[in-house]
Amino acid sequence: MRILVVEDERPLATAIRRTLESEGFTVVLAEDGIDGEWQTREQDFDAVVLDIMLPGMSGYDVCRRMRVRGDRTPVLFLTAKNGEYDEADALDIGGDDFMSKPFSPVVLSARLRALTRRASIGDGPPLAVGPLRVDPAQQRAWAGETELHLTARELALLTYLTHRAERVVSKQEILDHVWDQAFDGGPNVVEVYIGRLRRKLEPTPGVTISTVRGMGYRLSGRRA
């Protein structure tokens, strides 16, 4: 797997590359946001590791530009900040995961394996719930005739909810199936992603993600 690491702290970038390469990853380094954004346009990667505070262009802007042009490569943010608002910002602009510094490069590699594994799930037939269609093999989803532009994590969550359509799934079930045991964030990350999916599904009548208080979420669909 090819990983782009955009990190301006050279000792940290070197440590990350050494660990990832020892576990079989191919690693490309970029020291600023401008070079990192260029790399995402010129090369194909299985995942991108982005520091938020970068010279030239922030990690937020790099990720935002990727998503605008339709690049759904999984993005894991690195941040020296440790606040829920920074984490929410990272997810809201299209990130798939985040880690706060300092962190273990070994845990980072485990998180990357989880991200790429979920992004490459290709088994199972297409799924349909009302006007919603999800094709795991193609990694694509449609609401009616409109294709949904989803990040890898959003697609994994929507696929899981579609598999469990009309049934209530708890936050913990979602974390267990869509995230990974190495994930060190709180269950509120599920709320963030449910909110993002709701906004993207909102224009399509007949598809709802409802909250069942004290229990979890239910995806429902009906044909018009």
Side-chain angles (χ1 to χ4, degrees), residues 118-119 121 139 151-161 178:
R118 297 186 193 283
I121 292 174
Q139 290 290 285
T151 67
R153 186 77 72 179
E154 289 170 347
L155 184 61
L157 174 56
L158 185 60
T159 301
Y160 179 65
L161 291 175
V178 180

Side-chain angles (χ1 to χ4, degrees), residues 193-203 209-211 217:
Y193 273 86
I194 290 290
R196 288 167 62 172
L197 285 181
R198 281 173 171 159
R199 288 192 293 273
K200 293 184 178 183
L201 292 170
E202 187 176 10
I209 301 176
S210 55
T211 300
Y217 303 96

Side-chain angles (χ1 to χ4, degrees), residues 15-177:
I16 292 173
R17 179 170 63 182
R18 184 180 300 119
T19 299
L20 294 182
E21 288 182 341
S22 71
E23 299 198 22
F25 293 93
T26 297
V27 180
V28 175
L29 295 181
E31 294 186 352
D32 59 63
I34 294 174
D35 183 33
E37 198 272 334
W38 180 85
Q39 294 283 359
T40 64
R41 286 186 284 109
E42 296 298 315
Q43 300 191 57
D44 292 326
F45 297 97
D46 294 288
V48 177
V49 178
L50 272 177
D51 191 10
I52 290 178
M53 304 299 292
L54 290 166
M57 181 186 299
S58 73
Y60 288 148
D61 288 335
V62 174
C63 182
R64 190 177 290 112
R65 293 190 181 196
M66 290 174 62
R67 299 314 187 216
V68 165
R69 65 174 184 267
D71 186 341
R72 295 188 294 183
T73 303
V75 171
L76 185 151
F77 277 107
L78 302 179
T79 175
K81 304 173 184 178
N82 189 15
E84 60 182 12
Y85 292 108
D86 303 305
E87 296 167 356
D89 287 343
L91 299 175
D92 280 341
I93 66 169
D96 297 283
D97 204 351
F98 58 86
M99 293 185 69
S100 298
K101 300 176 183 178
F103 60 87
S104 163
V106 174
V107 175
L108 172 63
S109 66
R111 299 275 279 272
L112 286 172
R113 285 195 298 272
L115 270 182
T116 55
R117 183 171 61 248
R118 297 186 193 283
S120 63
I121 292 174
D123 54 347
L127 307 166
V129 179
L132 174 67
R133 292 179 295 127
V134 179
D135 190 331
Q138 294 189 50
Q139 290 290 285
R140 300 170 71 186
W142 296 264
E145 299 302 317
T146 302
E147 183 167 2
L148 300 172
H149 298 289
L150 305 173
T151 67
R153 186 77 72 179
E154 289 170 347
L155 184 61
L157 174 56
L158 185 60
T159 301
Y160 179 65
L161 291 175
T162 306
H163 271 294
R164 306 283 293 175
E166 306 299 343
R167 287 173 283 186
V168 178
V169 291
S170 68
K171 286 184 181 179
Q172 190 57 54
E173 287 178 288
I174 292 173
L175 285 172
D176 290 344
H177 288 85

Side-chain angles (χ1 to χ4, degrees), residues 129-132 204-208 220-224:
V129 179
L132 174 67
T204 306
V207 181
T208 59
S220 302
R222 57 176 175 76
R223 284 288 181 184

